[in-house]
Amino acid sequence: MTDFLGPAVRLRHRSALVLTVAVVAGLAMFCWPLLSRSGVGTSAHTTDAPFVFLVTLPVLILIVLAELSSGGLDAKALALLGVLSAVDAALRPLGAGTGGIELVFFLLVLAGRVFGPGFGFVLGSTSLFASALLTGGVGPWLPFQMLASSLVGLGAGLLPGRVRGRWEIALLAGYGVLAAYFYGLAMSMFTWPFLAGSTALDFLPGAPLGENLHRFLVFTVLTSTLGWDTGRALTNLVAILLLGPAVLTVLRRASRRAAFGR
């Protein structure tokens, strides 16, 4: 029996196009401060966050509807999505983000690896949304967290598929570290215009791209990269190295029994 299983969500042309639009729109939402030519008030993200919801949630619905209509997402995949979202949501409060310790991402990486980029993208958003409801973490930051998490799950599903054994664990551990820093970088971009204050790291509307980019990189290194992001990266590294082989076996057994891609 082959170990190379089909994805839980098969990306046909229609859903692949929708997913590409979601990625481009999500990155644009994060990077708007670098492209902005106007001032920013303290309520700016409170205003634009609903627009991110308008991008994120319909995209997820479109992916589900597109796959349901084309036979790519069946009841077994939906059930598995619900189970993994619930497990991931339950894992998040265990570390409560203390020192960057967050267990939600290692399972997302492993699930995206096994079930494919489409499943990883949807799981990233549903997991963060469910955990926010569980922990009372609903706020203007949530849609940005959902987008960043979805991109992490998507990337895990796009990793080279033929790598197995110890090399696969090493690949996933390395990706888990990079994903932790990416997530922190994205969320720093969300907070940067409002938390930098009137300092040399402040966001300057209308300033050259290079200057604002330099200010942002210094800001994120000092406020996030050296602390929270490194803690998150170490958590992903240790969790994947220790639990990765067993969790991958369980997920692949579930995928095999569900006969995804057949």
Side-chain angles (χ1 to χ4, degrees):
M1 183 179 294
T2 179
D3 189 36
F4 300 103
L5 306 171
V9 177
R10 296 191 296 274
L11 292 179
R12 293 174 170 82
H13 294 298
R14 178 171 49 188
S15 53
L17 176 61
V18 173
L19 196 55
T20 300
V21 171
V23 171
V24 173
L27 291 176
M29 287 292 179
F30 279 115
C31 295
W32 72 266
L34 297 178
L35 307 176
S36 175
R37 288 295 179 268
S38 61
V40 59
T42 57
S43 63
H45 273 311
T46 303
T47 301
D48 65 30
F51 291 99
V52 184
F53 266 122
L54 291 176
V55 172
T56 306
L57 300 184
V59 162
L60 296 178
I61 294 172
L62 284 174
I63 290 175
V64 172
L65 292 179
E67 292 306 318
L68 281 174
S69 62
S70 60
L73 183 61
D74 58 15
K76 293 178 292 186
L78 285 172
L80 183 61
L81 178 65
V83 170
L84 290 178
S85 297
V87 172
D88 230 2
L91 286 175
R92 195 179 187 194
L94 296 181
T98 304
I101 300 175
E102 291 181 297
L103 296 174
V104 65
F105 293 101
F106 96 93
L107 181 58
L108 174 60
V109 169
L110 298 177
R113 169 65 172 175
V114 173
F115 299 115
F119 189 91
F121 182 90
V122 178
L123 179 62
S125 279
T126 56
S127 295
L128 267 291
F129 185 74
S131 67
L133 295 179
L134 183 64
T135 61
V138 178
W141 54 84
L142 178 57
F144 293 88
Q145 291 177 332
M146 292 169 61
L147 282 170
S149 183
S150 289
L151 294 177
V152 170
L154 173 69
L158 294 175
L159 293 174
R162 294 285 172 174
V163 181
R164 287 294 187 270
R166 294 181 179 179
W167 288 109
E168 180 181 33
I169 297 301
L171 174 66
L172 292 173
Y175 176 79
V177 170
L178 293 177
Y181 285 113
F182 164 78
Y183 181 85
L185 191 73
M187 295 311 299
S188 289
M189 181 64 77
F190 162 70
T191 59
W192 172 48
F194 313 107
L195 299 185
S198 300
T199 70
L201 306 181
D202 200 7
F203 166 59
L204 291 180
L209 174 63
E211 181 178 352
N212 266 332
L213 183 60
H214 176 264
R215 288 169 175 265
F216 167 70
L217 290 176
V218 175
F219 168 79
T220 191
V221 167
L222 294 179
T223 62
S224 182
T225 303
L226 296 179
W228 296 93
D229 298 348
T230 297
R232 186 183 300 113
L234 291 175
T235 301
N236 288 348
L237 177 65
V238 173
I240 292 174
L241 289 178
L242 294 181
L243 303 177
V247 174
L248 285 175
T249 299
V250 172
L251 293 178
R252 285 187 170 126
R253 183 178 296 122
S255 179
R256 188 177 295 112
R257 291 183 177 179
F260 294 129
R262 298 179 186 176

